Amino acid sequence: MKKKLAAAVMAASLMAAMLAGCGSSSSTEGASASAADTAATSAPAEAAATSGDGGSESASLRFAWWGGDERNAATQQVIQQFMDAHPGVTIEGEPGSSDGYHDKLATQLTSGTAADIVQIDPETMPTFVKSGDYFVDLKTTSIDMSDFDQNYIGEQINGNYDGKQLGLPTGIAGPSILVNKTAADKFGVDLTKEGITWDDWIEAGKTVQSQDPETYLFCVNKEYIVNLFVLPMAKQYAGSIFDSDGKLVLTQDDLTKVFQYVKELYDNGVVAPASYQSSYVGDDIQSDANWIAGKYVAAPCYISTMDVMMAGYPDGDYVAGTLPSIENAKDGGFASNTPQLLVITNTCSNIDVAAEFLDYFFNDSTAQETLGTTRSIPPTSSARKICADKGIIKQVVMDSVDIEVAVNGTPNDGITSSDEAKTILYDAVEGIGYGQETPEDAAADVISQFQDLATK
Amino acid sequence: MAKTSAVTMKKHYTKRDCKGLLYLIPWLVGFAVLQLYPFITSLVYSFSDYTMGGSLNFTGLDNYIKLFTRDRDFWNSLKVTLLFGLYVVPGKVILALLVAMFLNRNIRGIGIVRTLYYIPSLFGGSVAIALLWRLMFMDGGIINSMAAAIGLPEASFLGDTHYALPTICLLEIWQFGSSMVMLLAALKIVPKELYEAAEIDGGGRWVKFWHITIPQISPILFFSILNQTIQELQNFTSPYTITDGGPLKSTNVLGILLYKQGFSYFKMGYASAISWIEFIVILIFTLLLFGTSKFWVHYADET
């Protein structure tokens, strides 16, 4: 009996340990909500205390961002330059990976432990802005914003929330089609012609498949199909997915047409089979083994990721593809926006110095040259000029910016850009890709789920 | 529960009792802050629509009703979680037992062999090993390349809804070391006389295994099964890292459902409700195991 009791105690303690595993997150989070509150109230007081004494302050700040090696090195270098010019100031860089970055950031923001200067995905930003007062209005700081395009930074997606500049865009980005000209010429397809249509892409895909069943026109996964095919096409049909009041605009008929197109992509081998794509989730598209082997003709990607894709297969001869449209489109569909925002958090220990750093980061010519295009095409005209003069921006990227800006479109609304809405679309595209759902069923399903999101 | 019944109430506490309590304080504080508090808060949250950074409004049983009636992923996730446990727990324990029996002999260098078999368990739950698994089993990965080299057809292990879950389960089963070490220790203390007596009576290997080895190691076997059941039903790292719940949600265990609701959609109340369902599922299985234990678990002091 004694042993049985011992076993029971052991089991009880195991269960307890398990519960701790389940619940610990909510505890840190519950405890931290109050911490964030106090931090938020104390921040303005601190700001008031420090404002007034300009010049050489002593401060110790943290700057968090995600990115690849090149961006990390350039950013660290700019931090060093700033610290050299400002003795007494220490800025600690916290580079990370984009994987799980915003999940971690969400916890840090609620617990008041986020870095002082933080890089944020502009599509995740609305969720944060809605859930709390975490960010400093940069208009109240010393940052000189005159070199930015005022219309550009006035858009919500680029950091302007109800007149408050809660973040500054780090660059100009948007969808682009990176075409490997060597491969395109070999198969005899032209993805660079003016006035290209969505159907032209299907035909080009068929042409490639008929010559080599192992080769696909586009290197994409379900996430890229949603962001670069489904959403642009849906916006061309409907103007926007949800309107500014959060009402669903997209109709089931239009979405059915879009999903029929997705089915055609898979059925005609314009894109690789869904089971193949499932190995490369999310942003992991550049590690697609077949892209690295040069087996695709083109990669629909973003202006900010073109360099990464080109580095994946450096032997390609790259040109900018054109962006398609339907007839009588209500919207360009391909919105340009910044790939990241930089913000100062309300818990920042020295907002003045943080603002001084961001001013240096965006406006100083040495910093502009050091940063180059590591955060996409720079947002300020002065930095763009420097990059073009130094030849840092490749021709294919410049061309893509021109194509993108000419087409343009409405950025994703707050609901569509949420993880929840995106996941609904990813699941639908996956269902179609695996042949588990018909486009009609998938569209009906998505619309009913979107209506749930809209009525909230 | 077990603890309260073991303690008899006293009217007066001696100095000695207080001293005992003093020694217990660090653990008690840790337990209260790190286990009891989250335990209770998550239960409270599960009856609310609390979102991360938002306000807390009580909504009664709404979360649970939504989970059971309207959530399109819940039943699938529950099924996947149970399947996961069903594949991994027997697989791991049987493999651990087989290897433990193989290693339970006195030959030269057996220590090294035992260490080698234990190594995979040291990587337990690590993201790196899960990533390695993904690279090995993906289309064009090393497993497929090897299969192609010897003329076998290639399979989409992680891209096919039928193979993805078993492939991930393999990773878990591979980490059988901790169960193996316990079973090995149990095998070593089975009295030799019992085997000798069986041999004299003409018992074969199977009889010896079934009537001596299994009953003798049954307490540890029971503990292993219990431990693994509790652990595997809450597994998250491997399916999240290897397939992110896909393809077509075929590896979307409750842990991933919970994580996405809580940390991607910030719906903490809903996520707490899922975690409580998960807890109850595990509780049911634990109680079931305890219920069956009296039929097959043999304790020496009960004879």
Side-chain angles (χ1 to χ4, degrees):
Chain A
M1 199 58 221
K2 229 191 293 165
K3 283 198 179 162
K4 225 176 193 180
L5 188 71
V9 172
M10 259 193 278
S13 61
L14 271 172
M15 298 280 282
M18 176 209 98
L19 278 168
C22 289
S24 61
S25 54
S26 36
S27 95
T28 39
E29 192 249 306
S32 48
S34 57
D37 286 347
T38 48
T41 45
S42 68
E46 251 173 77
T50 45
S51 66
D53 61 311
S56 65
E57 301 100 319
S58 71
S60 175
L61 300 174
R62 287 155 59 217
F63 177 12
W65 72 88
W66 75 88
D69 294 343
E70 216 184 325
R71 181 186 294 167
N72 294 348
T75 311
Q76 297 282 20
Q77 214 180 324
V78 168
I79 290 175
Q80 195 53 50
Q81 290 163 4
F82 182 78
M83 291 201 297
D84 289 347
H86 298 76
V89 173
T90 333
I91 297 179
E92 199 190 320
E94 295 181 359
S97 142
S98 66
D99 200 28
Y101 179 93
H102 289 89
D103 300 340
K104 184 175 149 207
L105 179 60
T107 325
Q108 287 179 327
L109 284 171
T110 43
S111 64
T113 54
D116 303 284
I117 302 161
V118 184
Q119 178 177 310
I120 298 182
D121 172 31
E123 295 205 353
T124 313
M125 185 76 174
T127 323
F128 291 147
V129 172
K130 222 171 21 180
S131 61
D133 181 20
Y134 299 127
F135 311 111
V136 174
D137 178 4
L138 300 176
K139 280 185 184 164
T140 64
T141 66
S142 59
I143 303 173
D144 176 13
M145 301 180 200
S146 58
D147 230 6
F148 288 87
D149 183 293
Q150 293 307 308
N151 287 330
Y152 188 67
I153 61 168
E155 286 190 49
Q156 176 170 315
I157 195 79
N158 295 325
N160 191 304
Y161 286 78
D162 300 325
K164 286 184 183 171
Q165 199 72 42
L166 299 182
L168 277 174
T170 56
I172 295 176
S176 68
I177 309 295
L178 181 64
V179 182
N180 180 358
K181 196 169 182 301
T182 324
D185 288 349
K186 184 179 119 193
F187 291 108
V189 293
D190 180 14
L191 299 176
T192 58
K193 65 180 173 195
E194 289 278 324
I196 199 165
T197 64
W198 295 93
D199 289 335
D200 290 341
W201 277 0
I202 301 280
E203 290 310 316
K206 284 183 190 167
T207 310
V208 172
Q209 276 281 296
S210 65
Q211 294 169 61
D212 179 3
E214 298 269 290
T215 301
Y216 303 95
L217 183 70
F218 288 136
C219 171
V220 284
N221 58 15
K222 64 175 188 289
E223 286 85 359
Y224 273 69
I225 290 182
V226 166
N227 290 312
L228 295 167
F229 294 77
V230 172
L231 288 174
M233 200 177 188
K235 279 189 234 168
Q236 291 178 358
Y237 276 118
S240 70
I241 315 295
F242 292 88
D243 66 13
S244 51
D245 299 327
K247 274 210 194 104
L248 184 60
V249 180
L250 181 66
T251 63
Q252 191 173 323
D253 283 350
D254 286 340
L255 189 58
T256 307
K257 280 184 252 174
V258 175
F259 281 166
Q260 273 161 349
Y261 184 79
V262 172
K263 189 170 161 24
E264 277 186 63
L265 288 176
Y266 282 107
D267 287 354
N268 293 305
V270 182
V271 300
S275 63
Y276 178 85
Q277 293 175 358
S278 70
S279 291
Y280 308 97
V281 179
D283 287 343
D284 203 23
I285 200 85
Q286 74 268 15
S287 43
D288 188 324
N290 282 341
W291 173 261
I292 293 166
K295 279 197 191 160
Y296 289 102
V297 177
C301 58
Y302 298 95
I303 289 163
S304 55
T305 59
M306 291 175 86
D307 278 329
V308 183
M309 291 306 286
M310 287 189 274
Y313 180 61
D315 297 341
D317 171 22
Y318 294 106
V319 292
T322 43
L323 298 167
S325 182
I326 59 164
E327 266 179 55
N328 307 319
K330 288 187 185 159
D331 189 83
F334 295 92
S336 67
N337 66 350
T338 176
Q340 307 100 20
L341 291 169
L342 287 184
V343 306
I344 298 177
T345 52
N346 259 332
T347 48
C348 174
S349 55
N350 194 327
I351 292 172
D352 279 358
V353 176
E356 224 175 296
F357 173 72
L358 282 187
D359 191 54
Y360 179 84
F361 185 95
F362 283 114
N363 294 320
D364 185 273
S365 57
T366 319
Q368 287 170 342
E369 196 183 326
T370 310
L371 289 166
T373 56
T374 55
R375 279 184 180 75
S376 183
I377 304 300
T380 59
S381 47
S382 49
R384 273 201 298 276
K385 191 170 178 306
I386 287 176
C387 289
D389 288 351
K390 300 266 169 195
I392 303 173
I393 302 179
K394 291 196 180 83
Q395 193 55 45
V396 56
V397 180
M398 280 297 217
D399 292 346
S400 291
V401 173
D402 291 340
I403 293 170
E404 161 54 26
V405 171
V407 174
N408 218 330
T410 317
N412 284 339
D413 55 88
I415 301 175
T416 310
S417 53
S418 72
D419 263 356
E420 211 174 349
K422 288 270 181 80
T423 306
I424 291 171
L425 290 169
Y426 297 154
D427 289 349
V429 166
E430 194 181 29
I432 296 167
Y434 273 92
Q436 209 205 29
E437 270 189 303
T438 64
E440 293 75 18
D441 292 347
D445 200 20
V446 168
I447 292 290
S448 88
Q449 291 185 75
F450 271 12
Q451 267 153 359
D452 281 349
L453 290 182
T455 46
K456 263 178 216 169
Chain B
M1 276 178 287
K3 267 173 242 145
T4 48
S5 63
V7 173
T8 44
M9 292 303 286
K10 275 190 188 180
K11 286 225 171 94
H12 298 286
Y13 290 97
T14 62
K15 201 175 167 190
R16 197 181 147 79
D17 289 339
C18 294
K19 214 193 250 172
L21 201 63
L22 194 69
Y23 283 122
L24 274 177
I25 280 180
W27 184 85
L28 283 174
V29 170
F31 173 74
V33 174
L34 298 174
Q35 301 193 348
L36 195 63
Y37 174 74
F39 186 78
I40 294 169
T41 358
S42 74
L43 182 63
V44 174
Y45 284 161
S46 77
F47 296 108
S48 76
D49 64 354
Y50 180 63
T51 53
M52 206 186 269
S55 58
L56 189 145
N57 304 305
F58 285 99
T59 53
L61 288 170
D62 273 11
N63 285 334
Y64 292 95
I65 294 170
K66 189 180 168 203
L67 257 181
F68 286 118
T69 57
R70 295 207 308 278
D71 193 305
R72 54 182 55 233
D73 294 330
F74 173 71
W75 291 108
N76 172 57
S77 288
L78 189 63
K79 190 186 99 189
V80 172
T81 307
L82 295 179
L83 272 180
F84 193 87
L86 196 70
Y87 291 155
V88 175
V89 176
K92 206 169 181 175
V93 174
I94 291 171
L95 189 62
L97 182 59
L98 288 178
V99 176
M101 288 172 66
F102 168 71
L103 295 178
N104 184 27
R105 55 177 83 181
N106 292 315
I107 48 171
R108 269 163 70 90
I110 194 74
I112 294 168
V113 180
R114 280 178 200 151
T115 312
L116 282 177
Y117 274 98
Y118 188 68
I119 282 178
S121 297
L122 296 177
F123 303 127
S126 103
V127 171
I129 219 75
L131 282 175
L132 182 74
W133 214 256
R134 191 173 106 191
L135 286 173
M136 278 168 59
F137 280 94
M138 67 191 207
D139 296 20
I142 188 160
I143 301 284
N144 269 321
S145 309
M146 275 158 58
I150 56 169
L152 290 172
E154 292 188 36
S156 183
F157 292 105
L158 299 172
D160 189 304
T161 50
H162 299 103
Y163 304 144
L165 189 64
T167 306
I168 294 173
C169 290
L170 266 185
L171 167 64
E172 293 297 318
I173 294 172
W174 177 61
Q175 300 176 330
F176 58 82
S178 60
S179 294
M180 181 202 75
V181 166
M182 283 193 291
L183 290 169
L184 187 58
L187 286 172
K188 283 200 166 303
I189 54 167
V190 177
K192 297 270 179 297
E193 308 91 81
L194 294 176
Y195 292 116
E196 284 162 12
E199 270 162 30
I200 290 166
D201 288 344
R205 294 180 70 148
W206 179 249
V207 171
K208 281 195 279 181
F209 171 76
W210 202 243
H211 292 284
I212 298 174
T213 311
I214 292 290
Q216 284 290 318
I217 64 167
S218 61
I220 297 296
L221 209 52
F222 174 58
F223 178 75
S224 286
I225 293 174
L226 195 64
N227 198 350
Q228 294 303 336
T229 307
I230 294 174
Q231 211 177 66
E232 296 307 336
L233 287 179
Q234 8 167 10
N235 200 304
F236 165 76
T237 317
S238 318
Y240 181 71
T241 323
I242 298 176
T243 53
D244 192 21
L248 289 173
K249 313 251 173 194
S250 59
T251 58
N252 203 39
V253 293
L254 281 174
I256 297 182
L257 191 70
L258 186 162
Y259 176 84
K260 290 214 165 141
Q261 290 290 343
F263 294 93
S264 298
Y265 312 158
F266 309 123
K267 293 178 181 166
M268 276 298 159
Y270 198 61
S272 297
I274 299 173
S275 82
W276 270 84
I277 299 288
E278 194 173 351
F279 169 61
I280 288 164
V281 168
I282 294 168
L283 190 69
I284 291 171
F285 275 90
T286 311
L287 293 177
L288 276 178
L289 276 172
F290 265 104
T292 62
S293 71
K294 63 170 172 266
F295 300 112
W296 65 276
V297 180
H298 169 89
Y299 293 104
D301 59 355
E302 274 181 348
T303 48

